[in-house]
Amino acid sequence: MPHLPLPPTRRAVLGAAAAAATLPVLGSTAASAAGATAAPRAALAGGGDLGPNVIVFDPATAGIQAKLDEIFHQQESAQFGTGRYALLFKPGTYNGLNAQLGFYTSIAGLGLSPDDTTINGDVTVDAGWFQGNATQNFWRSAENLALVPVSGTNRWAVSQAAPFRRMHVRGSLNLAPDGYGWASGGYIADTRVDGSVGPYSQQQWYTRDSSVGGWLNAVWNMVFSGVEGAPAQSFPDPPYTTLDTTPVSREKPFLYLDGAEYKVFLPEKRTNARGTSWGSGTPRGMSVPLDQFYVAKPGDGAGTLNAALAQGLHLLLTPGIYHLDAAIEVNRAGTVVLGLGYATLVPDGGATAVKVADVDGVRLAGFLIDAGTVNSATLLEVGPQGASADHSADPITVQDVFVRIGGAGAGKATTSMVINARHTIVDHTWVWRADHGEGVGWETNRADYGIVVNGADVLATGLFVEHFNKYDVQWNGERGRTIFYQNEKAYDAPNQAAIQNGSVKGYAAYKVAESVTTHEGWGLGSYCYYNVDPTIRQGHGFAAPNTAGVKFHGLLVVSLGGKGQYDHVINDIGGATSGDTTVPSTVVSYP
């Protein structure tokens, strides 16, 4: 399908710029003093009710469609609203449903395998609320279900922060909105699509450890790792970047029912993975009973959550908004912090939302961090500054953890996410300095750096980072790897001087420190849309040492409608963008 141009009002995507190589390493070595002066508290109980915004259905439930419709109509256009919902389906067969998903809505099956819960019907995301434009269809998810679409094809027209995980589509999958309007990328993992996937107007997409019956087209940047049935490597024409396997992966934890008992399944690590983790029967991993989790409710603060962690409990964050006056401190190896229904953490008073110690096997998954009105130095810290332990056997994973600065209101953070711990896997994140909504402006929602990676041997699979005031990603650690990167530079830069980086025009979207000797990336794209001052020039999208050990495959930069231009793709390599035709400039391999 021919490339679809972007509208002048196209929304901006995530951005979190990483610190320059010359800046001090970011991180925290001091533990929070939260609760240090509080009176002794009674032991907190594990397990319990999942709260009013976790809605559980079984095949005998009356009025399922009416309830689905009620929540959809509430959430359809509530982009920055406070509603949060998890729709959970017990194992069994459901007929004639169309679950339309709006903002902050997750749908999931409660079986151990997707095929345990079958919907003869659809789980639909479309863009009627936004006149057929899907570029703002964020913050929703589908997991652990089998679908038999009514028409033979299920529509999933999303953009950022909308994972499609552990699904079995017994038919085809359409990733474009009705009318084939604009759509801006997404993520599929651990999924089987028996028919074909049609991305149509999707500009970029990442699919990991899955199986597809076919793939129909590409616009700018389609990336596959460990996908049976993926198209062959052919970047840039068509722009497919294909890896036969994913080097290391570990699927996201998920809630399920074992008889009448809720448990959380923790999938095991896979190396050189290909295909789904569940296709050969029962998935491999371990189960943790819900009574080993503190089931958090909105209103619980950092003191309560840290007391639960100190007792040895995991955290299950039920849907809602949590204000934190101090960081959630994850200090115990193997701890799970799992959110349902886009549970949202808001650090107040300049706090960090979550800090993870230098320990094995921590799993952070399924929640949103929303920057507070007082600037936070960091929002998420994985490992303290100087972390050095070897976690290769049992890595820390950060999955479907999304970060937002502004949009829902003024928010500020110097750096959104700092990865200090070695061997961390960041599997699907959207780190976004908002370009629309409330509290948006070059200084209003100031956020200099998106992701800073200081740890060695870190792997990112599905990295979306956008609109930061300086570097979106700064990679200081050795032997880092990124499979798929999607970026937009900040729309709202007032002029060339505002983004000037010494003698360099603009901060790179992805910067590898000059001290790094080994690094590799596959399928990385950066786009500019400098609509405030379209004369701005960005020196390059990517910056990296010129050394044999630093390698990139399938790079592109794009000027959206001629609003600003790139001089090069990486360093001084790759042709400049020009005009208003929105044609990518590409580099097949670097160096």
Side-chain angles (χ1 to χ4, degrees):
M1 181 173 179
H3 162 67
L4 296 176
L6 296 170
T9 57
R10 187 183 187 277
R11 62 98 193 129
V13 209
L14 273 185
T22 56
L23 293 177
V25 172
L26 295 171
S28 172
T29 56
S32 167
T37 60
R41 64 172 73 231
L44 297 165
D49 180 73
L50 298 177
N53 287 11
V54 175
I55 299 168
V56 181
F57 303 103
D58 67 45
T61 302
I64 297 177
Q65 187 64 56
K67 189 64 175 178
L68 296 175
D69 291 345
E70 174 192 340
I71 293 170
F72 173 66
H73 291 315
Q74 176 183 319
Q75 298 300 115
E76 180 183 12
S77 58
Q79 182 171 175
F80 299 109
T82 58
R84 303 285 189 273
Y85 291 94
L87 311 175
L88 305 182
F89 286 75
K90 293 182 180 180
T93 300
Y94 300 78
N95 295 312
L97 297 181
N98 181 16
Q100 300 183 80
L101 299 188
F103 287 97
Y104 313 109
T105 306
S106 298
I107 188 170
L110 286 170
L112 196 54
S113 165
D115 289 322
D116 293 340
T117 310
T118 298
I119 292 178
N120 289 308
D122 296 78
V123 171
T124 301
V125 177
D126 206 347
W129 74 279
F130 201 48
Q131 296 77 55
N133 179 345
T135 60
Q136 293 185 22
N137 281 350
F138 314 139
W139 304 307
R140 63 202 75 197
S141 66
E143 299 183 52
N144 205 30
L145 292 165
L147 304 178
V148 184
V150 169
S151 69
T153 301
N154 188 80
R155 186 183 302 279
W156 185 255
V158 300
S159 288
Q160 286 72 23
F164 196 81
R165 284 186 181 270
R166 198 179 177 76
M167 297 287 286
H168 184 188
V169 181
R170 299 179 194 161
S172 294
L173 188 63
N174 181 349
L175 303 178
D178 187 28
Y180 301 99
W182 298 294
S184 184
Y187 171 94
I188 292 171
D190 203 25
T191 287
R192 177 178 174 181
V193 180
D194 293 347
S196 293
V197 178
Y200 301 111
S201 54
Q202 285 286 354
Q203 293 147 355
Q204 66 277 318
W205 198 277
Y206 176 50
T207 307
R208 178 182 64 70
D209 298 358
S210 293
S211 174
V212 299
W215 193 275
L216 298 185
N217 73 294
V219 176
W220 291 337
N221 190 29
M222 300 283 149
V223 180
F224 309 84
S225 68
V227 179
E228 297 168 343
Q233 170 71 32
S234 57
F235 187 89
D237 186 21
Y240 295 134
T241 299
T242 302
L243 289 75
D244 190 56
T245 61
T246 303
V248 186
S249 58
R250 189 173 68 191
E251 299 306 328
K252 178 185 172 186
F254 61 92
L255 188 68
Y256 78 103
L257 275 172
D258 183 1
E261 181 183 6
Y262 282 107
K263 295 182 178 179
V264 172
F265 191 78
L266 308 180
E268 73 174 14
K269 186 186 74 169
R270 305 169 75 195
T271 56
N272 298 318
R274 182 172 172 82
T276 67
S277 69
W278 50 269
S280 300
T282 303
R284 298 177 64 88
M286 62 178 290
S287 294
V288 180
L290 192 63
D291 64 11
Q292 295 183 26
F293 282 78
Y294 176 69
V295 178
K297 306 291 199 305
D300 285 338
T304 298
L305 300 176
N306 284 328
L309 291 170
Q311 282 180 215
L313 295 171
H314 306 283
L315 295 182
L316 185 73
L317 305 172
T318 63
I321 297 174
Y322 298 74
H323 282 270
L324 306 173
D325 61 359
I328 297 172
E329 301 271 3
V330 182
N331 296 321
R332 178 173 48 88
T335 300
V336 179
V337 180
L338 175 62
L340 300 178
Y342 284 82
T344 302
L345 306 178
V346 183
D348 295 326
T352 297
V354 181
K355 295 182 180 181
V356 180
D358 195 11
V359 294
D360 278 353
V362 170
R363 305 181 196 224
L364 308 180
F367 55 88
L368 171 65
I369 299 173
D370 217 349
T373 55
V374 178
N375 185 73
S376 295
T378 58
L379 295 173
L380 171 63
E381 293 181 15
V382 180
Q385 181 178 331
S388 59
D390 186 324
H391 302 299
S392 56
D394 192 5
I396 298 168
T397 49
V398 181
Q399 299 178 283
D400 299 349
V401 173
F402 308 116
V403 180
R404 177 173 68 192
I405 300 95
K412 292 186 177 183
T414 303
T415 302
S416 293
M417 187 182 298
V418 181
I419 309 296
N420 293 317
R422 294 182 62 194
H423 304 102
T424 298
I425 300 173
V426 180
D427 177 44
H428 190 225
T429 188
W430 188 42
V431 183
W432 185 52
R433 176 181 167 265
D435 64 287
H436 63 273
E438 297 294 325
V440 170
W442 184 248
E443 296 295 343
T444 305
N445 62 327
R446 181 86 192 185
D448 283 349
Y449 309 111
I451 296 180
V452 175
V453 180
N454 297 317
D457 307 293
V458 171
L459 171 65
T461 52
L463 195 57
F464 299 73
V465 186
E466 297 179 295
H467 303 160
F468 287 80
N469 293 79
K470 292 185 178 178
Y471 288 121
D472 297 288
V473 170
Q474 166 78 39
W475 208 296
N476 302 318
E478 282 286 359
R479 297 178 300 280
R481 292 175 291 184
T482 294
I483 305 172
F484 181 89
Y485 176 62
Q486 188 266 323
N487 165 265
E488 285 180 349
K489 296 303 300 173
Y491 290 1
D492 54 350
N495 49 50
Q496 187 76 44
I499 66 162
Q500 194 69 13
N501 181 15
S503 62
V504 179
K505 288 179 278 187
Y507 288 80
Y510 188 106
K511 164 73 171 176
V512 181
E514 288 299 319
S515 59
V516 170
T517 60
T518 305
H519 187 93
E520 196 159 9
W522 297 262
L524 285 72
S526 177
Y527 323 135
C528 73
Y529 185 71
Y530 287 118
N531 61 331
V532 175
D533 182 358
T535 69
I536 290 175
R537 297 198 70 87
Q538 179 78 26
H540 43 232
F542 304 91
N546 184 10
T547 181
V550 176
K551 304 174 184 179
F552 287 95
H553 316 273
L555 296 172
L556 70 135
V557 296
V558 181
S559 168
L560 304 180
K563 306 296 185 185
Q565 302 289 345
Y566 291 89
D567 290 338
H568 300 285
V569 179
I570 180 168
N571 298 346
D572 58 356
I573 297 171
T577 58
S578 64
D580 60 3
T581 55
T582 314
V583 175
S585 179
T586 62
V587 167
V588 175
S589 62
Y590 171 89

